[in-house]
Amino acid sequence: MADNAYARAGVDIEAADRAVDLMKEWVAKSRRPEVLGGLGGFAGLFDASALKKYERPLLATSTDGVGTKVDIARKMDKHDTIGFDLVGMVVDDLVVCGAEPLFMTDYIATGKVVPERIAAIVKGIAEACTEAGCALVGGETAEHPGLLAPDEYDVAGATTGVVDAHRLLGAEKVEQGDIVIAMKASGLHSNGYSLARHVFFTELGWELDRRVDELGSTLGEELLVPTKIYAKACLALADATGTHAMAHITGGGLANNLARVMPAHLSATLDRASWTPQPIFDVVRTAGGVDQASLEATLNCGVGMVSLTPAADVDAAIATLAEHGVEAWVAGEVVAGDGSVTLVGQHPGW
């Protein structure tokens, strides 16, 4: 009787149960040996005795969402890639300090639980967790009728990792002469979509199915390109080199995020001529009339992650990243300064 009343209020418990059944296969594929129990418990369990191998284990945690990119997924009715954006946002924030991601939980709020749609979202999250090397140990799906339209949803997640204290990366290790190694982004990733949506939909009046020659795809296909996940590559980089710090390039752009790991007595100068951003950035700039300063303060402009690595380790660093499927190049150098990051020159073709 209570279930029927709840259904009349707009909450479908049976649909939620079906969604859990559909997602179990994908969650199982992200499992690590330290995970205890299965999906459906009140809490995810992770065997912390695995931390005994660390001399002084430091737990690291990160939480985030994917912003207005979910609106693109909803309008495209394609939901199995947004999970890569979620995992990329939280896992790669954590990796910059040298921490290995261990496990993750997710939260999905929706106006109406459509089991196949929820399962597709979780499929993407689980596949991305596998790519990052962490386990998806649990989550929550909440139906919010009246607050969200039936086809609307939002996703958020949190991850926990570990790093030995003596291997912690950060600004305090950065030295003058360190080289800034840039790692190629897959596209816009999951930041700056409010700007992109304003340019394309409000100012230009473009539709998602519009073919854009410069992109070689439709606008919707480009805007839904998943976030690149750097976790395993960056951990391998930290193992193979004396890298001092890393920065995940998200909201705020390249200079602002790199400045977060720059000591007050040092600065970094990056040369735009060392890379050409993907066409989507130039399309936003030219078609939308967005000045370069605003573009660089909002979007990653083709660089999804950077490391600050001793000059002697640059070749090994770039080779290690390439082995893990990450294209990287020398973009600049750390010099004496005031904690600032400056971009000079111009991208080829801009």
Side-chain angles (χ1 to χ4, degrees), residues 159 280 292 305 325:
T159 187
I280 183 64
Q292 191 162 355
M305 182 81 77

Side-chain angles (χ1 to χ4, degrees), residues 62-128:
S62 175
T63 186
D64 207 344
V66 299
T68 58
K69 188 169 184 175
V70 294
D71 186 56
I72 307 299
R74 179 181 67 85
K75 290 177 177 176
M76 294 281 289
D77 195 24
K78 181 173 174 55
H79 312 284
D80 61 351
T81 61
I82 202 74
F84 279 81
D85 300 292
L86 178 62
V87 174
M89 287 301 101
V90 297
V91 167
D92 288 332
D93 268 2
L94 182 145
V95 163
V96 298
C97 71
E100 175 192 359
L102 299 174
F103 56 85
M104 178 171 173
T105 56
D106 64 64
Y107 178 82
I108 304 170
T110 183
K112 179 179 176 57
V113 170
V114 178
E116 293 76 15
R117 184 171 63 207
I118 299 299
I121 297 169
V122 175
K123 171 180 179 288
I125 296 172
E127 288 180 329

Side-chain angles (χ1 to χ4, degrees), residues 330-341:
V330 171
E333 184 179 4
V334 176
V335 296
D338 57 3
S340 63
V341 175

Side-chain angles (χ1 to χ4, degrees), residues 11-70:
V11 178
D12 190 340
I13 294 176
E14 291 183 1
D17 290 340
R18 290 198 303 275
V20 171
D21 288 337
L22 290 173
M23 70 178 70
K24 282 181 178 179
E25 171 190 356
W26 302 108
V27 174
K29 291 181 178 180
S30 73
R31 190 180 182 92
R32 287 177 52 131
E34 302 94 338
V35 175
L36 303 178
L39 194 65
F42 284 97
L45 298 175
F46 190 90
D47 186 354
S49 65
L51 304 184
K52 291 180 179 179
K53 66 180 181 181
Y54 294 88
E55 181 179 330
R56 184 187 168 200
L58 304 179
L59 292 180
T61 185
S62 175
T63 186
D64 207 344
V66 299
T68 58
K69 188 169 184 175
V70 294

Side-chain angles (χ1 to χ4, degrees), residues 204 237 256 307 339:
L204 298 175
L237 173 67
N256 289 333
S307 74

